[in-house]
Amino acid sequence: MLKMVRFLRLLKLARMLRASRIVTRFEMRMTISYGKLSLIRFFAGLFVLMHWLSCLWALTLVIVDEGGDVPRWIDNLDVLEENVNNPTRSTPWKLYVTCLYFTSYTITSIGYGDIAPVNIAERIVCTLMIMVAGTTWALVLGQVSDVVATMHSDELDFQRRMDALGSMMADHVLPESMRQRLRGFFLSSKVAQQRARRQLVMGAMSPGLRA
């Protein structure tokens, strides 16, 4: 038994090492920035969460039996789809899209109100979905805002420097000709600063790579 546990631990460690090598190989070949990669990862995780919450919402139709005295959220759609040949109730892909639609506006706190819980089981599931979705949406918004803000950090630094320059010139009541000269100097030095940053990157390379 002990040997089996050790073997499973070694197997898990081997998988982790293999996964790390795959990630390293991907980073060597990728052509997009880490900021864009983070955005893709966040939205992919958000879609996975929406999928599982949609499945959870569809599960309420299994928890509450059809044909009983307890109403279900899909009963309201039967009234709207009275003349539809393939209603949502009997069409799997329509049912999934409807659950995904409900989940998406629950996560984003829009809430159109056309689909709503009508029994205690659905209210419990909906409360759980709201707690998970609200927390996740807040984290996603914070992370995405941080990534977007850092994607153009150089440009933001330059804009802050120009704003500080404008404030300084206004405090010292400089003439317009001097203000234009100062703005022109900082605008021309923007390209030089970009070249200096590239030289720092080149300096971190080995002599063979620089050649």
Side-chain angles (χ1 to χ4, degrees):
M1 185 64 183
L2 183 59
K3 291 183 178 180
M4 180 62 67
V5 173
R6 290 179 178 176
F7 174 75
L8 292 176
R9 288 181 177 177
L10 290 174
L11 183 61
K12 183 178 180 180
L13 180 60
R15 289 180 177 178
M16 293 177 61
L17 291 175
R18 182 180 180 185
S20 64
R21 287 197 296 268
I22 293 175
V23 172
T24 302
R25 196 177 301 121
F26 172 75
E27 290 179 344
M28 292 172 59
R29 296 182 179 181
M30 74 176 185
T31 57
I32 61 175
S33 64
Y34 281 98
K36 294 179 181 178
L37 182 62
S38 298
L39 289 178
I40 294 173
R41 185 173 63 249
F42 290 141
F43 284 111
L46 181 62
F47 183 79
V48 171
L49 176 66
M50 290 172 58
H51 167 74
W52 284 111
L53 290 180
S54 300
C55 295
L56 181 62
W57 183 243
L59 185 63
T60 58
L61 300 177
V62 179
I63 297 175
V64 180
D65 295 332
E66 183 179 3
D69 297 332
V70 180
R72 304 190 302 172
W73 64 267
I74 203 170
D75 296 337
N76 298 328
L77 297 181
D78 292 340
V79 178
L80 299 176
E81 299 177 338
E82 185 176 357
N83 297 322
V84 177
N85 294 328
N86 298 315
T88 301
R89 180 190 296 270
S90 58
T91 310
W93 72 267
K94 284 186 177 181
L95 181 62
Y96 177 77
V97 171
T98 303
C99 294
L100 187 65
Y101 160 74
F102 173 76
T103 302
S104 63
Y105 74 60
T106 300
I107 289 179
T108 55
S109 304
I110 296 176
Y112 291 115
D114 52 347
I115 300 176
V118 293
N119 58 61
I120 187 61
E122 294 175 358
R123 292 188 182 98
I124 293 174
V125 172
C126 192
T127 301
L128 178 62
M129 292 175 60
I130 291 173
M131 294 175 62
V132 174
T135 305
T136 305
W137 186 243
L139 292 174
V140 167
L141 287 181
Q143 293 290 339
V144 170
S145 299
D146 183 64
V147 169
V148 172
T150 56
M151 285 177 65
H152 307 286
S153 57
D154 294 338
E155 184 65 25
L156 291 176
D157 291 339
F158 175 76
Q159 293 175 2
R160 294 191 189 99
R161 192 177 299 111
M162 293 297 291
D163 291 339
L165 174 64
S167 178
M168 184 197 71
M169 292 187 299
D171 292 340
H172 290 79
V173 197
L174 297 179
E176 185 62 28
S177 59
M178 179 58 70
R179 297 187 182 192
Q180 291 181 4
R181 289 180 59 188
L182 289 172
R183 291 194 189 98
F185 171 79
F186 277 90
L187 286 172
S188 61
S189 65
K190 178 181 179 181
V191 178
Q193 291 173 4
Q194 290 177 350
R195 292 176 180 173
R197 286 191 292 268
R198 291 171 184 172
Q199 288 297 326
L200 290 175
V201 176
M202 293 291 292
M205 299 180 185
S206 65
L209 291 175
R210 287 198 299 267

